[in-house]
Amino acid sequence: MEVSRIKSPQINRAQLLLVSPDILPRIWTWAKPLLIETEETWGEYYTIESLFNMIDKGEAQLWTVNDADGFFLVLLTELLEFPKVRVLNILTLAGSNLEDSIGFLDYVENWACKQGATKSIGIGRKGFLRVLQPYGYRQKGVAFTKNILQRTEH
């Protein structure tokens, strides 16, 4: 897979990078700390090592945004296949300058469309919705969780 770099119209000198498995070990040094910042959103389901393996196997996509000073935002996505639709799932979004760099999401969505996706979904903090609404994202339902190992029999 070739490296995809896209310059941002919003951020001076920033670029979006879809990280291919062949450069993942070099990029991981900078991406891993940013991913760990959002561990509360994925830590119940994945380890940091399992995220690396998913990206390395092509099961997930790591997108980074950087400028001359370094990496400041990471986006982790996956394509989910349902009987009626293929979906871009945003697993996590972490880093700084989110409001200024969210315009890059259009490029990620275009990539997903080329892969056959027709929707984009994600679960995140409430603050993300405020940032994502101008890009067409809407709240649809509420995520809920329960540890069923601690249930009582009825």
Side-chain angles (χ1 to χ4, degrees):
M1 180 182 290
E2 75 180 46
V3 175
S4 299
R5 295 176 194 263
I6 301 165
K7 301 266 187 229
S8 170
Q10 290 99 346
I11 304 173
N12 191 22
R13 303 179 336 264
Q15 63 182 8
L16 175 70
L17 172 69
L18 172 55
V19 178
S20 60
D22 59 316
I23 65 167
L24 178 59
R26 288 181 287 166
I27 303 297
W28 192 249
T29 304
W30 294 285
K32 181 179 174 181
L34 293 174
L35 288 169
I36 289 172
E37 287 178 15
T38 62
E39 190 171 1
E40 74 276 0
T41 62
W42 52 263
E44 284 187 72
Y45 311 101
Y46 305 97
T47 64
I48 195 71
E49 294 80 14
S50 66
L51 294 178
F52 179 93
N53 291 333
M54 288 171 63
I55 300 161
D56 193 44
K57 293 177 187 173
E59 297 168 358
Q61 302 77 43
L62 177 65
W63 305 82
T64 62
V65 180
N66 69 289
D67 59 16
D69 297 326
F71 293 92
F72 57 85
L73 189 74
V74 294
L75 173 65
L76 187 61
T77 63
E78 65 181 342
L79 293 172
L80 300 178
E81 195 74 41
F82 294 98
K84 292 175 67 176
V85 66
R86 178 178 271 184
V87 173
L88 173 70
N89 183 34
I90 300 171
L91 287 168
T92 194
L93 181 60
S96 59
N97 294 339
L98 176 60
E99 290 190 32
D100 292 333
S101 54
I102 198 66
F104 278 124
L105 196 52
D106 287 341
Y107 296 102
V108 175
E109 292 166 354
N110 286 337
W111 172 87
C113 283
K114 290 177 183 176
Q115 312 309 309
T118 58
K119 287 187 172 282
S120 177
I121 62 172
I123 297 175
R125 299 186 308 249
K126 283 187 177 185
F128 283 154
L129 187 57
R130 177 183 50 79
V131 175
L132 292 171
Q133 277 180 330
Y135 294 90
Y137 285 81
R138 301 290 177 257
Q139 182 174 346
K140 188 170 185 176
V142 177
F144 51 90
T145 181
K146 176 184 178 183
N147 182 346
I148 61 172
L149 289 175
Q150 306 303 320
R151 70 188 187 287
T152 56
E153 294 290 329
H154 293 282

